[in-house]
Amino acid sequence: DIVMTQSPLSLPVTLGQPASISCRSSQSLVHSDGNIYLNWLQQRPGQSPRRLIYKVSNRDSGVPDRFSGSGSGTDFTLKISRVEAEDVGVYYCMQGTHWPFTFGQGTRLEIK
Amino acid sequence: QVQLVESGGGLVKPGGSLRLSCTASGFTFSDYSMSWIRQAPGKGPEWVSYIINSGTTIYYADSVKGRFTISRDNAKNSLYLQMNSLRAEDTAVYFCARGSLWGGDYWGQGTLVTVSS
């Protein structure tokens, strides 16, 4: 199985400051169709996961543009340009290239 | 708007069975692959199974293979998960989601399955 490793696992951030989460996969995530199915999901306290970013860098509808995704091969990053209170929660990277699809351990973002 | 509503969770004894349902609305169900993902208490999500739009291709996680069966009824806009030989480690909130490889663009609110004697 592909192992997804996130860092940091805990991320205290001051409101208005940037935040960055790293995700590394144990194998290349390039699918046979040429796409990279690396996705980022947010889970706010008590809620279902919600997808923010799909295929590395495509932001979902309704997701603020302060969220951005980047990366290639095996190294990927989620950036929040200015953290707001509503961003508190756990962030997961997830790969959909190889079955079984796998998630990172999650990064808990909190306000300092 | 897209809605996914899970049902069928509950308390079941080890070795027992449950059938989860997910009723979809707001989109053409037969156009999309669908997935079941679970999340044990305090843990990260685990992708359990997915089924393509026609139902002809199905994948299962090793942890549930041979015990769980995913199916869909496109005429009823519904996704199902038949869970047999349940174990304590199957205790989790079970979510249905639209899609698969791209992470599921819509998720339901989840239904709790508790396996305990």
Side-chain angles (χ1 to χ4, degrees), chain B residues 1-105:
Chain B
Q1 74 280 22
V2 172
Q3 278 199 307
L4 299 170
V5 179
E6 302 94 336
S7 60
L11 175 63
V12 62
K13 289 182 168 52
S17 298
L18 274 179
R19 188 194 196 208
L20 306 184
S21 299
C22 171
T23 302
S25 60
F27 65 101
T28 303
F29 184 73
S30 57
D31 283 349
Y32 289 86
S33 61
M34 296 293 295
S35 297
W36 287 102
I37 304 106
R38 68 184 180 184
Q39 188 169 30
K43 303 292 187 184
E46 176 190 11
W47 213 285
V48 171
S49 180
Y50 84 88
I51 182 169
I52 69 168
N53 60 335
S54 65
T56 54
T57 299
I58 287 171
Y59 289 87
Y60 296 103
D62 284 348
S63 57
V64 306
K65 199 176 295 182
R67 301 187 298 123
F68 290 11
T69 302
I70 191 172
S71 62
R72 63 190 297 159
D73 185 335
N74 287 342
K76 294 184 178 179
N77 292 339
S78 292
L79 176 72
Y80 306 102
L81 187 67
Q82 177 67 43
M83 304 187 297
N84 298 331
S85 303
L86 282 161
R87 306 166 180 166
E89 54 265 36
D90 296 318
T91 294
V93 176
Y94 285 73
F95 300 98
C96 73
R98 187 177 83 167
S100 51
L101 281 68
W102 54 93
D105 55 355

Side-chain angles (χ1 to χ4, degrees), chain A residues 39 41 43 48 51 96 99 103, chain B residues 39 45 60 101-102 105 108-109:
Chain A
N39 312 299
L41 296 95
Q43 189 170 28
S48 305
R51 195 182 69 181
W99 183 257
F103 292 83
Chain B
Q39 188 169 30
Y60 296 103
L101 281 68
W102 54 93
D105 55 355
Q109 86 289 347

